[in-house]
Amino acid sequence: MKIIAGNWKMNGSQSALDKIISDLSEIDTQNTVILCVPYTMLNTKSDKIAIGAQDISKHTSGAYTGEISAQMVASTGAKYVIIGHSECRQYHGDTNSDVREKATQALNNGLIPIICVGETMDEKQAGKTMAVIESGVRECIPSDINTKIIIAYEPRWAIGAGLTPTSAEIADAHNLIAKTLADMGLSGTPILYGASVKGNNAAEIMSISNVDGVLVGGASLKSDDFIPIITSVK
Ligand code: PEP
């Protein structure tokens, strides 16, 4: 059983979400399916599909115009939240320290954080991939946690680019994350791979050791693209 999470980014509409949830409810799968949608759609209910947000504030409440707290997201019934996505790091300047604070907020409010780590192209070319991944895991996860979290390895240069690392590179990254999590007392934490996952590469990616599922951007927007990813694995 795998975890298949979609990230709609700033795309979609309520009618498109209702349609995909209806289509996804028809398929026979044991996999956990999550859709992380824009805030305006978080109130959507489904028996089969879990709903998540794409970011939260690191603050509890107060004068933070435009921000949404973990408590507000949790009050919609959403169960998950993506934290530290590449686009939040790039456009909002989120650092590992911000990600850790946001993860703390998520956990304090009963949300399961999907914490993203991964290297930029510059970091990859400088030979820093493994160091960035390990420091990301160590610095983004709050200490003393006793509830579930999910880690997503997302090579930032590959997101939305139609590019993927080699299977050996994905295996190295996921093995390092699993080893680091074990060292932190967090063995068994699911580790997703994300960046340019499609129906034609999903099964191969999810057959790699320590890949417990995928985080999917563009290909999660339409049933025709998302369902083949979900049904590619048992
Ligand atoms: C993402 O945004 O998390 C992502 C993985 O995007 P894509 O699948 O489009 O590369």
Side-chain angles (χ1 to χ4, degrees), residues 27-218:
I27 63 174
D28 185 21
T29 180
Q30 300 300 311
N31 298 319
T32 299
V33 181
I34 306 164
L35 279 175
C36 296
V37 295
Y39 294 123
T40 51
M41 303 176 204
L42 286 180
N43 219 355
T44 308
K45 306 288 178 242
S46 165
D47 291 344
K48 293 204 167 168
I49 313 302
I51 298 291
Q54 301 168 17
D55 194 15
I56 45 168
S57 176
K58 65 181 178 184
H59 305 289
T60 305
S61 65
Y64 301 103
T65 301
E67 297 197 26
I68 303 274
S69 71
Q71 190 275 327
M72 291 169 181
V73 168
S75 73
T76 67
K79 298 281 179 252
Y80 295 85
V81 59
I82 297 172
I83 297 178
H85 188 274
S86 174
E87 286 143 25
C88 295
R89 292 175 186 267
Q90 183 178 354
Y91 302 127
H92 306 161
D94 280 10
T95 61
N96 285 346
S97 159
D98 296 322
V99 174
R100 184 187 173 102
E101 288 184 63
K102 290 180 177 192
T104 302
Q105 289 287 344
L107 293 167
N108 286 346
N109 287 279
L111 295 170
I112 299 173
I114 302 172
I115 299 173
C116 300
V117 298
E119 77 286 2
T120 62
M121 182 52 94
D122 282 352
E123 289 163 343
K124 178 179 169 64
Q125 286 173 339
K128 293 181 180 165
T129 297
M130 291 307 194
V132 169
I133 292 171
E134 181 168 351
S135 60
V137 172
R138 290 194 185 276
E139 292 170 17
C140 291
I141 300 176
S143 47
D144 296 331
I145 60 171
N146 53 15
T147 44
K148 189 176 164 181
I149 61 167
I150 296 174
I151 299 293
Y153 168 55
E154 294 212 308
R156 296 177 58 186
W157 51 272
I159 294 175
L163 302 169
T164 46
T166 63
S167 295
E169 286 171 327
I170 296 174
D172 286 349
H174 280 245
N175 289 340
L176 172 64
I177 294 170
K179 197 164 144 277
T180 307
L181 288 166
D183 188 48
M184 296 169 75
L186 295 170
S187 300
T189 296
I191 310 166
L192 313 185
Y193 167 81
S196 300
V197 175
K198 311 275 179 234
N200 61 9
N201 61 11
E204 186 184 341
I205 289 171
M206 283 188 272
S207 71
I208 297 169
S209 76
N210 288 313
V211 177
D212 301 304
V214 285
L215 179 54
V216 184

